[in-house]
Each structure stands twice: as structure tokens, then as C-alpha cells.
Amino acid sequence: MTFLGMPLMRSQHAHSDLPGGQGNIVETEPFPEVSHQHLSNQQLRNNIGHATSSIRDKRAGVVAELDDWEELREAGSRAKNQVMANLPEYLVEFEENFTAAGGTIHWARDADEANAIVTELVEANVPVLANGRREVIKVKSMATQEIGLNEHLETQGIDAFETDLAELIVQLGEDKPSHILVPAIHRNRDEIRDIFMDKMPDAGKLTNDPAVLAEAARRHLRHKFLTTKVAVSGANFGIADTGTLGVVESEGNGRMCLTLPETLITVMGIEKLLPSFDDLGAFLQLLPRSSTGERMNPYTSFWTGRTEGDGPQNVHLVLLDNGRTRALADEHGRTALNCIRCSACMNVCPVYERTGGHAYGSTYPGPIGAILSPLLTGVEDEANGSLPYASSLCGACYDVCPVKINIPEILVHLRSEDVKANHSPVSTQLDTALTGASWMMGDGKRMAAAEKGLPFAHKATRGGQINALPGIAGAWTSSRDIPGLPEKSFHQLWAESEGQAESEGRTDHDGETENGGDEK
């Protein structure tokens, strides 16, 4: 039994008591430490900076075309919030409709269960080849990356071939994705050419021209599409009132994976549901504009169960929890589950642009990963408590999010959770400084007394910038300068200004009276 839904959790569980997610959603080293390793990679920074700026500009252009963009964002946010508030009911409705259409639902509490289910289905539907192994093809799926499906299948004698071009680059390069939308964003054309020539026996001599590289990948995958018996997919949407699944993509590889094999296995997070087809109108405008900067996705595929003699005849869906129930129980953080995986937040994030996706240690990098991974696992899991600090809190991610996830607000909430869970209650320098500041500012007389010392502090700093401070404040001045202290506080200047204005007002009033008397 897998419990899903908020009402029981509110009454019987704290979110910290619920099981956390497993798999590739864990930061093994504190973000500040691991990010420094990537900051020194100039090629990485150049590749990512060029790609994100290009996508940013495209998105801005197509978004500006719509007068009702903010209304669309509000519609998307409202639909997702409705799902999260009624998730148990929508899941039951979806299961009934999906099953009635000829599909089979499997429930997975965590990564281990999901991997075991997929393995069993593959073994039941794929014959062993001459080399003693089995093969499946895959269409890009964040959920399968999250649970480490490819790595698990490999240990079970099953080879999973990625068919998305960027995912293929990552797989052949024995690499990890670094972006939700463009997993190989950290690679340039020369690097991709070298990977293909090294790992594709049929590639031959290649140039770095994108069309040449795409054609090489197409030739490499064509035989797999036509001969492989089982495909594994993700899903962008699940429609509760019809039991329909949907995938949007740009290359057509998804369409082939969804239609050619005999067996189709989809792995989808439980949060991906929408109430009805009517809700798609907003999302099919929000998603392509926010992700690729396109007005619509080149390929949009929907399927409802199975149809005799048309497409896969064995249709399975693994509904994955893996910490989502835990995230749903966090009333301050649950809107992170509204994410539609567009990657817009990454393309505007100054931190992601400089460190790249690998620094986050998770399938979900960037601002959304900085909140989603700790919510799925808990801030106590390894170094995930450091992820909420991977932000300047500039708010750009919130401004571009198509479903209005307030990422900065959740980051601050998770920082508080991290302090409670992972840091000693013993007073630190920062605690002492903040307590002192609170005491001083809590009383006008104490504040006024402190302000009297400003002239001396001004002379001590000579009115210039402060370049170095001791203790914890040194972390601040190690990367920035602080303006020198003024000679007078704002309160003092205001009081002097008000006093001068009152004095001038009395003089003017007296003058008017005298002049008036003379005229009379």
C-alpha cells in the first residue's frame, strides 16, 4: 500500500516523518565546495553562458507576443494547485480511466520499487539476444534519470538506449545531464563530434556541423527504433478524466518510441496530473515558450490505453512517489511539485550559469533543483541542506516560472529547515550579532545612543570603503567591499532637516504678517 494525499498527512504526519526519495537527487558534497570545482572550468562556463543567453532571448521574444501571458501563468498555477489540493482523488480517477482503456497501473513508493517493476516488465517482454543481454529504447524522461533506471537495468543485463539527441550525447560520453531541457548544454560541437567518432562504430569521419551530427545520430538509432520490442518513456502530462498520457518533444524520437514497440512502459511522477483536457490549452502555450522559446512543440503525442492492432499492445504506467508525498506534506514547499520541467528558471539564474548543472548533484539542477531535491529527500540527506543556499535570491526564477512557483520564498523556508535540522543550537557569531542588533533596534533610546557613535566610526573608516572585517563578516568582505560608515545617521539628518524646515516656516509666516500689515 502506498499512501498518497494531504488530508491524512495533515492530521497524522509531519513531513519530516515521511520517507524521502532515493536515486539521483542527492548532493554528496556541500554546494559551495563542489561549485568551486566547476567555476574554474572556463569552457563549461562559456558553453553554458552562450546557450542560456540564446534560449533566454528566444523565450523573451515569443512571450512578448502574447498580451495574456500573465493570465496564462495564472491559469497554469491555478490548475496545478487544484491538483495538489486534491491529488488522492485525481490519482484514483486517473487509475480508473487508464485501466478501463486497457492500460496497467503499477504504484512505486520509491526508486527501488520503480526499478524492480520496470525490470520485471522488460524481462517478461524482451527476448535475450545472442550476446546474452536484452535491449530497450528510451525517450527522454526525468523520472527515469531520477531513479537511476539505466544504471539499474545495466546490472540486470539490460541495455537502455537513449534516443533523444542530447541524452544520447550524455550517454555516449559517459556523462551526466546538466540541464533539464538541454542535458548536453555543457558540451560544444567539437566535443560532440569527438564523442560520436569515438563511441559510434558506424559514424565515420564527421565535421562539427549540427546537421551532420544529427544525421549520424539518426543513422545510429534507426535500426533500434525498428527492431526493439520495448520502449520506456516519461510523460509531461496525465489527464485524470480520460486516463490519457502526453509527451511533448522536438525531434520525433518520442513519437517513434511511443508507436513502434510492442510494449510501452511509462514512468511518471504522481504530480504530473491535470484535471482535464481543457487544462491543456494553457500548458501547451506555457511549456514551449518557456522551455525552447518556440510557439508550439514540434511533436505532441497523446495516448489512452491500448488500441487493437495500432501501436503498443502492452501499455504500462509506473506511478512514482519517491519523496513526492513528503514534499506534498510541506505546506510551504509543496508548490515546487507544480513544476512542468521547462527549465526557464535555469536560463535566468546567475548561479547556474556559472556553475553548471553538475554542481547540484541531482537530476534536477538550477533553482528548481535547489528546492525540489531537498523537498524530496529532506534537508538532512547528505549535503542536500546546502542546496537552498545556491541562490542570490534575485527573484528572476520566480519572474519567468510559467506556473508561478515562488522559488525564492521556498529557498528561504528550506534554509530555515536546514538550520533547524543540521546546525548546532550553540550560539554562533551571526546569532550573537543578530541578537545584539535586534536588542539595539528594538528601543528608540538605545538606537539613538548607538547613532551618537557614528562620527567616531566615520573617522575610523575615513569615510571610505571597508575592505576586510574579522570573523564571520570576513566571508562577506572576501568577495565585496562595504561602503564606509556615514558621519550622521538618516534619523539625525532627518531631524536636522525637519528642524530647519520648521524654522524657515516660522520666518516666512512672520514676514507675511508684517507685509500684510504694511499694505493695510
Side-chain angles (χ1 to χ4, degrees):
M1 296 292 291
T2 300
F3 168 71
L4 298 165
M6 290 189 296
L8 183 60
M9 285 188 287
R10 282 177 173 167
S11 61
Q12 297 185 21
H13 295 286
H15 63 86
S16 59
D17 297 329
L18 293 163
Q22 307 170 342
N24 297 322
I25 47 175
V26 176
E27 177 77 297
T28 56
E29 300 177 62
F31 182 86
E33 296 177 14
V34 71
S35 63
H36 277 288
Q37 302 169 19
H38 299 282
L39 283 170
S40 61
N41 187 336
Q42 190 60 48
Q43 183 65 62
L44 172 75
R45 295 178 65 176
N46 290 342
N47 294 349
I48 293 178
H50 174 74
T52 53
S53 63
S54 176
I55 299 172
R56 262 199 319 267
D57 293 342
K58 287 179 64 181
R59 176 202 170 274
V62 294
V63 165
E65 296 173 352
L66 299 181
D67 295 332
D68 62 344
W69 178 251
E70 290 305 316
E71 287 80 2
L72 284 170
R73 290 181 73 207
E74 183 60 36
S77 175
R78 188 167 54 248
K80 293 301 292 185
N81 286 336
Q82 180 182 343
V83 169
M84 297 310 143
N86 302 281
L87 187 56
E89 293 81 3
Y90 282 125
L91 284 166
V92 170
E93 181 183 8
F94 178 84
E95 180 182 30
E96 291 174 350
N97 291 320
F98 187 86
T99 303
T104 302
I105 293 279
H106 308 265
W107 296 87
R109 284 173 291 191
D110 52 34
D112 288 343
E113 286 192 1
N115 287 332
I117 291 167
V118 175
T119 301
E120 183 178 346
L121 290 171
V122 172
E123 290 175 344
N125 291 279
V126 178
V128 178
L129 300 178
N131 62 2
R133 300 184 66 83
R134 294 178 170 90
E135 293 184 353
V136 299
I137 53 175
K138 289 184 67 216
V139 58
K140 182 178 178 182
S141 165
M142 301 297 293
T144 60
Q145 292 170 8
E146 173 189 325
I147 63 177
L149 178 63
N150 287 11
E151 297 87 346
H152 174 80
L153 291 178
E154 185 176 5
T155 66
Q156 304 302 306
I158 302 168
D159 297 320
F161 293 90
E162 297 288 353
T163 63
D164 175 85
L165 178 57
E167 292 285 355
L168 178 64
I169 294 166
V170 170
Q171 185 178 44
L172 293 178
E174 299 178 358
D175 204 349
K176 290 183 178 181
S178 62
H179 192 275
I180 285 178
L181 177 70
V182 194
I185 196 172
H186 56 289
R187 297 288 195 180
N188 60 33
R189 289 187 286 176
D190 291 334
E191 291 174 311
I192 295 169
R193 177 200 59 205
D194 294 342
I195 289 171
F196 280 9
M197 291 179 63
D198 182 44
K199 295 299 176 67
M200 284 185 185
D202 53 350
K205 185 71 174 177
L206 300 175
T207 69
N208 67 356
D209 179 46
V212 171
L213 297 173
E215 178 62 22
R218 178 179 178 275
R219 291 195 307 268
H220 176 73
L221 291 170
R222 178 62 53 168
H223 178 70
K224 300 296 182 187
F225 283 132
L226 297 175
T227 59
T228 306
K229 302 292 185 181
V230 172
V232 178
S233 85
N236 292 97
F237 308 108
I239 309 301
D241 67 353
T242 61
T244 299
L245 293 173
V247 164
V248 296
E249 36 113 12
S250 300
E251 300 169 15
N253 61 300
R255 180 72 55 84
M256 299 185 78
C257 285
L258 299 172
T259 57
L260 293 177
E262 296 173 3
T263 298
L264 175 61
I265 306 167
T266 301
V267 181
M268 183 181 79
I270 58 175
E271 82 282 11
K272 291 295 188 70
L273 295 184
L274 294 178
S276 73
F277 257 99
D278 293 340
D279 298 297
L280 283 170
F283 287 94
L284 292 180
Q285 295 182 76
L286 290 168
L287 182 53
R289 283 177 165 83
S290 299
S291 56
T292 56
E294 297 173 293
R295 296 177 183 87
M296 65 181 294
N297 293 100
Y299 294 90
T300 301
S301 303
F302 292 100
W303 67 100
T304 306
R306 64 180 290 274
T307 301
E308 191 69 33
D310 183 16
Q313 296 301 293
N314 301 308
V315 179
H316 298 266
L317 171 63
V318 180
L319 281 170
L320 177 69
D321 188 331
N322 204 40
R324 284 158 177 79
T325 295
R326 180 191 179 100
L328 192 65
D330 188 329
E331 62 179 335
H332 301 291
R334 68 169 62 108
T335 54
L337 294 175
N338 292 358
C339 176
I340 59 175
R341 311 294 193 262
C342 70
S343 77
C345 61
M346 298 179 197
N347 300 326
V348 298
C349 178
V351 176
Y352 172 85
E353 187 174 10
R354 286 158 179 79
T355 64
H358 294 156
Y360 295 80
S362 168
T363 295
Y364 307 108
I368 188 63
I371 60 173
L372 188 57
S373 296
L375 284 166
L376 293 176
T377 66
V379 293
E380 309 87 357
D381 197 350
E382 300 215 23
N384 272 10
S386 70
L387 288 173
Y389 301 94
S391 171
S392 64
L393 300 180
C394 67
C397 50
Y398 180 38
D399 292 339
V400 300
C401 177
V403 289
K404 302 178 71 171
I405 301 171
N406 194 332
I407 294 177
E409 186 176 88
I410 300 175
L411 286 167
V412 173
H413 160 64
L414 289 173
R415 291 179 184 185
S416 173
E417 293 291 298
D418 171 61
V419 169
K420 294 179 201 174
N422 299 325
H423 298 281
S424 170
V426 178
S427 178
T428 64
Q429 293 179 49
L430 180 59
D431 294 329
T432 303
L434 292 176
T435 300
S438 176
W439 176 83
M440 181 185 67
M441 295 179 182
D443 182 86
K445 292 181 180 178
R446 290 196 290 264
M447 188 70 179
E451 289 173 349
K452 290 179 180 179
L454 274 175
F456 304 102
H458 174 74
K459 290 180 180 179
T461 60
R462 300 178 182 178
Q465 292 182 326
I466 300 173
N467 301 316
L469 287 172
I472 191 172
W476 181 272
T477 54
S478 67
S479 57
R480 57 184 67 79
D481 296 324
I482 300 176
L485 296 172
E487 190 170 6
K488 297 181 180 179
S489 72
F490 173 79
H491 286 153
Q492 292 169 332
L493 293 171
W494 180 265
E496 292 176 4
S497 175
E498 284 292 290
Q500 182 179 355
E502 290 179 8
S503 175
E504 292 174 352
R506 285 194 298 272
T507 301
D508 291 343
H509 180 71
D510 293 343
E512 289 173 3
T513 303
E514 292 172 1
N515 291 339
D518 291 343
E519 290 173 1
K520 290 178 180 178

